[in-house]
Amino acid sequence: MSRKTKKIILCGTGIKCISHVTVETKAAVKKADLVLYLVNEPIIEQWIQKQAKEATSLSDLYFSHSKRKESYTAIKNKILSTLEKYGFVCVVIYGHPTVFASPGLDAILEAKSLGVNCKIYPGISAEDCLFSDLMIDPGSRGCYSVEATELLVCEKKFDTSSYLIIWQAGMIANIGMPSGSINLQALELLQSYLLKYYGPSHEVVLYEASLYPKIEPKIVRFKLKELVAQDLSTISTLVFCPCSKNNINQKTLSDLNLV
Amino acid sequence: MSLLQIFEELAEDCFDTCEANIDCVIETFSSSDDSLKIRSNISNNNIFGDMVLVNSFADTVKSPVFS
């Protein structure tokens, strides 16, 4: 079979177990010759195994390396080598498959460059859940979304008149596998960096989306100066609401006849 | 009723309607030990009794983190 007749679909199962699976993702899982999956919960794994003609977990591959970057390369290579043997491969990743999830996207981009028919179906991300559970419209003031380690190491600049969302705060300065420990030194540095933008009493929301129906999301409100004392996990996200007004350029408003 | 069947029912979660249909509800989820407590009122159920602790992804699939 030539590469042009081969097909790969990358899709996401969302965060909440089974509830977030879309109709098109379910169809892809059922129709693919092989499903490769990396999910966050054993029930969704059972669901995939039940729906698919054939399904293989990427979990062992993910956890077989000490650095996540090495895992991603191994997963990408596994996906591409699988395409050599199967006509239609579906890759399933929890959440949204291209939001803070590079292995599937890397494989898709390489497969596309080789002439394989590629599609990506969106899934519900943790951020989507966050907007719903915290009743936030990111379009109302703008929103800056960034991974914790990148924010700190690259000293990213952001606008405090917009929302700030910091992903994976519990994984800060960890380039290895998820573990039960938090790098408190890095968390202290993050707190110090954020204090350049916000006051010590600025409210921060610690958010974790619910993985299960009937279970509420974790929402803890605290002051920025209390960040290091928080019970963060690998799925914790930090949210900062705007603390300054939009800086409106009156001349631009006038030039555009928006006054 | 298998755990998967229960979750397939619960997936159509809409306030309390599913509770009536399957007579089973997830009561707590602990992120500290990744465990679920499921309360079932299904009589003569060989799988679930009251307040059965179900190991979630702690012992089977660890939750991967990306980026």
Side-chain angles (χ1 to χ4, degrees):
Chain A
M1 188 181 286
S2 76
R3 281 173 175 158
K4 288 189 177 176
T5 60
K6 287 180 178 288
K7 183 162 70 173
I8 182 168
I9 295 179
L10 173 63
C11 49
T13 52
I15 304 296
K16 189 181 284 184
C17 187
I18 302 178
S19 301
H20 285 179
V21 177
T22 64
V23 173
E24 62 184 357
T25 287
K26 183 176 181 179
V29 168
K30 288 168 80 88
K31 289 177 182 173
D33 299 325
L34 176 73
V35 177
L36 296 172
Y37 61 89
L38 192 57
V39 293
N40 58 341
E41 213 290 324
I43 298 298
I44 196 73
E45 179 177 33
Q46 284 185 36
W47 180 86
I48 290 168
Q49 290 282 356
K50 178 184 169 185
Q51 303 289 335
K53 295 174 190 168
E54 186 180 348
T56 302
S57 173
L58 296 168
S59 184
D60 287 345
L61 206 54
Y62 176 90
F63 286 104
S64 63
H65 296 81
S66 58
K67 292 181 180 174
R68 296 206 297 284
K69 196 169 182 180
E70 293 168 354
S71 296
Y72 302 161
T73 303
I75 289 170
K76 182 188 80 170
N77 291 339
K78 171 71 175 176
I79 293 169
L80 293 171
S81 65
T82 301
L83 263 175
E84 297 292 325
K85 301 172 193 164
Y86 292 84
F88 177 12
V89 175
C90 176
V91 179
V92 178
I93 292 176
Y94 80 93
H96 187 296
T98 68
V99 174
F100 286 80
S102 61
L105 182 58
D106 291 344
I108 282 275
L109 291 173
E110 190 156 330
K112 189 178 179 184
S113 72
L114 297 171
V116 176
N117 183 6
C118 301
K119 280 190 188 302
I120 299 177
Y121 294 163
I124 295 176
S125 71
E127 193 174 66
D128 295 323
C129 300
L130 183 157
F131 294 142
S132 299
D133 289 329
L134 298 183
M135 300 182 183
I136 287 173
D137 176 1
S140 67
R141 297 291 294 268
C143 183
Y144 186 71
S145 191
V146 64
E147 195 268 336
T149 307
E150 185 177 2
L151 171 66
L152 184 60
V153 173
C154 301
E155 297 188 330
K156 291 287 188 179
K157 306 292 186 292
F158 52 88
D159 183 349
T160 57
S161 70
S162 299
Y163 291 96
L164 171 67
I165 296 176
I166 303 176
W167 292 67
Q168 297 175 353
M171 290 285 287
I172 190 163
N174 178 1
I175 59 172
M177 291 295 119
S179 67
S181 62
I182 307 286
N183 187 327
L184 292 177
Q185 182 195 7
L187 204 56
E188 283 177 11
L189 288 172
L190 178 67
Q191 181 177 280
S192 297
Y193 185 69
L194 291 165
L195 283 168
K196 295 176 183 174
Y197 290 84
Y198 302 99
S201 296
H202 185 82
E203 183 182 87
V204 186
V205 181
L206 189 168
Y207 174 80
E208 294 176 10
S210 170
L211 275 60
Y212 302 101
K214 302 290 180 189
I215 298 296
E216 294 297 315
K218 181 177 179 180
I219 299 172
V220 178
R221 297 176 191 277
F222 62 93
K223 294 174 180 173
L224 175 55
K225 64 184 177 184
E226 301 163 343
L227 174 60
V228 179
Q230 299 307 307
D231 182 21
L232 299 175
S233 80
T234 56
I235 61 171
S236 297
T237 303
L238 301 177
V239 185
F240 292 71
C241 290
C243 69
S244 59
K245 292 182 178 176
N246 279 331
N247 182 25
I248 298 172
N249 187 317
Q250 296 297 332
K251 183 178 182 306
T252 304
L253 266 184
S254 177
D255 290 347
L256 296 172
N257 294 319
L258 295 175
V259 179
Chain B
M1 188 174 233
S2 72
L3 190 58
L4 178 58
Q5 286 173 309
I6 287 173
F7 272 88
E8 285 175 329
E9 292 283 341
L10 286 172
E12 297 178 15
D13 184 32
C14 181
F15 296 99
D16 293 331
T17 53
C18 286
E19 285 187 44
N21 289 340
I22 66 168
D23 210 10
C24 175
V25 62
I26 301 172
E27 290 210 323
T28 62
F29 167 67
S30 167
S31 59
S32 60
D33 62 357
D34 299 324
S35 65
L36 287 172
K37 282 182 179 175
I38 295 180
R39 176 172 54 82
S40 168
N41 295 320
I42 304 168
S43 59
N44 299 319
N45 189 308
N46 293 325
I47 303 171
F48 298 105
D50 289 343
M51 300 297 289
V52 173
L53 186 68
V54 179
N55 286 328
S56 184
F57 51 77
D59 296 330
T60 50
V61 182
K62 291 178 185 172
S63 186
V65 172
F66 300 107
S67 85

